[in-house]
Amino acid sequence: MGKLIKNHWARLIVLTASIYQIAAALEGFFWPKVFWDFLTTNLDPAVRPIPILQILNLLLGILGLAWEWPLPIFAFAQTAMHRSIEARLAVYPLSALAALLLYQGTNPGIYYLIGLGVYFWAFSEGEMVCPVPWSLPRRKSAKRVGHV
């Protein structure tokens, strides 16, 4: 059995969350609703008449999609920002918060929180994100002494 590479697993979870967040933002343009409107109506100006929360969710979903699935046309895959788990741990809580505020975005918000937990697990164990997406870290070459 192989070893679980947690940052790859977290990448799949966050990819799912970002695609779902984009869909929720697009749906939010047609049916604007704040998830917490049963408690208060103070957040309603964030979704109508100007769709601020929907636009924010759309931009954060596109950022998450571009960050976790870096296409060569964006030239983002080889950067230090792409390889940084710490940056993900700083940005994705904002994505989760924005998603959890929108009624259609509660599921991606929960997915972001799960992905954050897995990224934190990977960070705690000292994993690194490889410069080439979906590749494995190179092993250090060990010199064999006394073997022919």
Side-chain angles (χ1 to χ4, degrees), residues 16-31:
T16 303
S18 61
I19 291 170
Y20 202 165
Q21 187 178 21
I22 292 170
L26 293 175
E27 186 178 341
F29 283 113
F30 298 105
W31 297 283

Side-chain angles (χ1 to χ4, degrees), residues 14-15 17-18 20 28 48 61 74 78 83 93 103 112 122 126 134 136:
V14 172
L15 263 173
S18 61
Y20 202 165
R48 65 178 163 260
F74 296 131
Q78 301 291 331
R83 293 188 309 267
Y103 177 75
Y112 272 122
W134 305 110
L136 298 174

Side-chain angles (χ1 to χ4, degrees), residues 12-14 17-18 26 31 43 46-47 51 54 60 63 74 76 81 84-85 102-103 107 111 113 117 130 136 139 146:
L12 291 172
I13 294 170
V14 172
S18 61
L26 293 175
W31 297 283
L43 296 172
V47 292
Q54 293 93 319
L60 287 172
L63 173 73
F74 296 131
F76 190 66
M81 186 79 164
S84 174
I85 293 179
L102 193 63
Y103 177 75
N107 284 349
Y111 295 163
L113 293 177
C130 296
L136 298 174
R139 292 185 182 200

Side-chain angles (χ1 to χ4, degrees), residues 71-92:
L71 297 174
I73 58 171
F74 296 131
F76 190 66
Q78 301 291 331
T79 63
M81 186 79 164
H82 170 71
R83 293 188 309 267
S84 174
I85 293 179
E86 295 91 346
R88 287 175 167 92
L89 290 174
V91 172
Y92 287 149

Side-chain angles (χ1 to χ4, degrees), residues 36-119:
W36 306 102
D37 66 349
F38 60 90
L39 294 176
T40 181
T41 58
N42 292 337
L43 296 172
D44 283 349
V47 292
R48 65 178 163 260
I50 301 171
I52 298 167
L53 193 56
Q54 293 93 319
I55 293 171
L56 184 65
N57 272 294
L58 185 63
L59 293 176
L60 287 172
I62 291 171
L63 173 73
L65 186 64
W67 200 344
E68 297 299 338
W69 193 8
L71 297 174
I73 58 171
F74 296 131
F76 190 66
Q78 301 291 331
T79 63
M81 186 79 164
H82 170 71
R83 293 188 309 267
S84 174
I85 293 179
E86 295 91 346
R88 287 175 167 92
L89 290 174
V91 172
Y92 287 149
L94 301 174
S95 296
L97 176 65
L100 287 170
L101 287 175
L102 193 63
Y103 177 75
Q104 292 87 352
T106 53
N107 284 349
I110 294 169
Y111 295 163
Y112 272 122
L113 293 177
I114 294 169
L116 272 168
V118 176
Y119 265 129

